[in-house]
Amino acid sequence: MYAMQVTAFDTPLSLCELETPKPAAGEVVIQVAACGLNFGDTLLIKGTYQEKPPLPFTMGMEMAGTISAVGQGVRHLHVGQRVAAYSGKNGLAEYAAVSASVCVPIPDAMPFTDAAAFLITYGTSHLALEDRAGLKPGERLLVLGASGGVGLTAVELGKLMGAEVIACARGAAKLEICKQMGADHLIDSDTADIRDTVKALGGADVLYDPIGGDQFKAAFRACNPGARLLPLGFASGEVPQIPANILLVKNMTVLGLYIGGYAKLNPKALTDSFETLINWYVAGKIKPHVSNVLPLRDANAGLDLLRRREATGKVVIDVMA
């Protein structure tokens, strides 16, 4: 089979020919149809992500396809079943061996491209907004990086959960996509003063932040007493230092979330969330926004779209193209 591998850190992926994997106990092998790219992939390639697999390794945190083999002890999945999986790696390959515990059956009505664009972004936002922050109807949700992969799902899910959503993104074109996904208010991070604009709207009750840096500092100052802060990533390259005295005075709560941790700490919470989200998809309540679909050999070009922040929503690799 063919796979796109990291053979040296901070270099482009290499197209390699490998043996097709066999499932160990508790695993399945997926014939991969599509793989979703994520900003975390770009950090994995640099060797700066939360996890650092030994070289060489196959990229691709999330995938969708059909089960081609089942390992010993797996009872709830079968050969020929359509699934999506969040495995952390191995998705940019024609076949991938993954733990059965991170596989979720997907309906026939869900294209593989949508399924591969689904788990990390929607899963992160659903766990963050519902399980961690306890977002309530009528609260004001501020989403930084709102046109990106996770940001756009936070806009969509926040609106579905009854919040008043403020979307912050770069430029009119990206903000228009946020509006289409349900944002009530739009802030251009290139030109507007985030702090003053949010305060004029009444302040934020929940801050969803995959960006960090100066945007977080401005948004933090616009949060209401009792606000919940969700630092989910640092695409700006700067990890913000949160002043504890302001947390104290304003009774604010900081809630970290790393979805990869759920895969190890509480995989059932992860798969339960995925099942809820897939049911919402089938009901027509949510729909992934995929801006680019590329073949496996062009995975490096897809990653460049993320690095340059030229994509909106998700970039998906069609492995079978």
Side-chain angles (χ1 to χ4, degrees):
M1 70 168 191
Y2 286 101
M4 295 296 287
Q5 288 206 310
V6 179
T7 56
F9 289 118
D10 212 15
T11 62
L13 301 181
S14 300
L15 182 63
C16 302
E17 190 169 3
L18 308 173
E19 289 190 12
T20 302
K22 296 180 180 179
E27 290 185 339
V28 299
V29 172
I30 299 173
Q31 183 178 8
V32 182
C35 177
L37 299 184
N38 295 274
F39 186 77
D41 290 320
T42 67
L43 303 180
L44 265 172
I45 292 170
K46 291 177 67 177
T48 59
Y49 195 57
Q50 290 96 324
E51 299 180 13
K52 192 173 182 178
L55 296 171
F57 63 91
T58 300
M59 286 293 304
M61 294 182 174
E62 60 183 332
M63 69 195 80
T66 305
I67 294 176
S68 62
V70 175
Q72 183 180 357
V74 177
R75 302 282 184 267
H76 65 293
L77 300 170
H78 58 82
V79 172
Q81 190 169 13
R82 303 172 82 250
V83 294
Y86 169 42
S87 61
K89 55 187 178 69
N90 293 333
L92 285 178
E94 293 177 311
Y95 291 87
V98 304
S99 171
S101 67
V102 297
C103 293
V104 181
I106 58 174
D108 290 341
M110 189 178 208
F112 287 126
T113 299
D114 279 1
F118 203 80
L119 297 186
I120 290 179
T121 51
Y122 280 106
T124 296
S125 292
H126 185 237
L127 289 168
L129 296 177
E130 183 166 284
D131 289 5
R132 301 294 284 154
L135 180 68
K136 301 176 182 65
E139 289 191 309
R140 197 169 294 111
L141 168 66
L142 171 58
V143 181
L144 303 183
S147 66
V150 291
L152 206 56
T153 60
V155 170
E156 189 179 12
L157 292 180
K159 191 63 179 177
L160 182 61
M161 295 167 69
E164 180 182 346
V165 180
I166 306 170
C168 183
R170 301 174 64 185
K174 292 183 177 180
L175 287 171
E176 177 58 30
I177 294 171
C178 296
K179 182 178 180 181
Q180 293 171 12
M181 299 301 273
D184 298 288
H185 309 284
L186 307 173
I187 299 176
D188 190 332
S189 59
D190 278 343
T191 59
D193 186 305
I194 295 174
R195 178 185 179 183
D196 289 348
T197 305
V198 174
K199 286 178 71 71
L201 292 170
D205 301 305
V206 175
L207 169 59
Y208 183 104
D209 176 31
I211 302 298
D214 290 339
Q215 289 192 36
F216 174 87
K217 294 173 187 175
F220 175 71
R221 299 285 179 170
C223 286
N224 293 326
R228 287 88 76 203
L229 315 178
L230 293 162
L232 299 169
F234 316 106
S236 68
E238 180 185 343
V239 179
Q241 304 303 303
I242 303 172
N245 61 318
I246 297 178
L247 295 178
L248 182 152
V249 171
K250 297 180 74 172
N251 292 292
M252 297 162 73
T253 305
V254 181
L255 299 156
L257 172 70
Y258 167 45
I259 192 171
Y262 271 79
K264 298 177 181 177
L265 180 67
N266 191 349
K268 187 176 186 302
L270 198 63
T271 52
D272 285 350
S273 174
F274 292 160
E275 289 172 6
T276 295
L277 291 163
I278 288 171
N279 288 336
W280 285 350
Y281 175 92
V282 172
K285 294 181 179 180
I286 56 177
K287 170 70 174 175
H289 176 82
V290 178
S291 61
N292 303 85
V293 179
L294 300 169
L296 182 63
R297 63 182 178 276
D298 291 340
N300 284 308
L303 291 163
D304 283 341
L305 290 172
L306 299 183
R307 293 186 184 99
R308 297 193 300 263
R309 300 186 187 181
E310 293 178 0
T312 54
K314 291 287 288 190
V315 176
V316 173
I317 300 301
D318 183 345
V319 177
M320 304 182 78

